[in-house]
Amino acid sequence: MTIAGERLVLDIMTTDVIFVTPQTDVVEVARVLVNNGITGVPVVEDGRVVGILTDADIVSRETEVDSPAYFSFLDAVIRLPWNHTDEDFKRVLAMTAGELMSNHVVSIGRTATVQDAATLMFRERVNPLPVVDEDGALLGIISRTDIMRTMLETETSAR
């Protein structure tokens, strides 16, 4: 048993979730993160989580990536060997949340335990963690800070 005990995700999740759409401008996403003091937001379309966008994604957009070099030879266009992936180049050029977001969304159900959420976050190296229903509809969000707050509340009440 952990300090958080048998509490459920629904007991500690934030239900008034800040989210963006795939069409949201990347600069606006950065503004949302900074102004709300959060590290990530779900990307939602038609009520369903379709991606996740974090501060690390925003910062990665500012990294230096040389563009690939091409040349023409006998009516063929050839790309020279390149030190980056196409994904790196796509990330730097991203203008919207949909272009920059991670499509691999790790989520959890509201009846999972806080310990399950902590384990999932640790194993998958994700933060925040969207809370969804069976159809992928966004119900809430849980962060590492929420879990730490729960640990502290439990510890304080145990004294």
Side-chain angles (χ1 to χ4, degrees):
M1 184 145 133
T2 65
I3 293 174
E6 295 299 317
R7 294 192 69 182
L8 300 179
V9 167
L10 65 91
D11 296 329
I12 71 166
M13 71 182 188
T14 299
T15 55
D16 188 18
V17 183
I18 297 166
F19 64 90
V20 297
T21 69
Q23 297 76 30
T24 305
D25 183 88
V26 170
V27 173
E28 179 59 25
V29 176
R31 184 176 291 112
V32 166
L33 295 178
V34 170
N35 289 346
N36 291 285
I38 56 179
T39 60
V41 289
V43 181
V44 176
E45 189 167 48
D46 298 327
R48 296 185 63 241
V49 179
V50 295
I52 194 91
L53 197 50
T54 68
D55 53 358
D57 296 318
I58 303 285
V59 170
S60 75
R61 183 175 170 260
E62 296 299 317
T63 60
E64 185 176 331
V65 176
D66 298 323
S67 61
Y70 295 89
F71 73 94
S72 181
F73 180 73
L74 300 175
D75 293 330
V77 175
I78 299 170
R79 183 169 89 178
L80 296 175
W82 192 41
N83 293 337
H84 303 282
T85 65
D86 288 341
E87 187 64 30
D88 292 336
F89 198 58
K90 177 183 161 198
R91 185 172 292 278
V92 170
L93 296 175
M95 299 299 291
T96 66
E99 294 168 343
L100 187 58
M101 71 184 186
S102 170
N103 293 323
H104 174 69
V105 180
V106 177
S107 60
I108 197 161
R110 63 191 200 112
T111 58
T113 66
V114 172
Q115 185 176 26
D116 292 338
T119 301
L120 186 59
M121 292 170 111
F122 180 76
R123 284 189 183 150
E124 296 291 327
R125 292 182 168 87
V126 296
N127 185 53
L129 187 61
V131 181
V132 299
D133 68 11
E134 306 79 35
D135 297 322
L138 183 63
L139 301 174
I141 199 156
I142 185 172
S143 69
R144 292 182 190 127
T145 303
D146 295 323
I147 293 172
M148 290 187 298
R149 188 178 298 115
T150 301
M151 291 170 58
L152 293 173
E153 290 169 358
T154 304
E155 178 67 19
T156 302
S157 66
R159 290 183 181 194

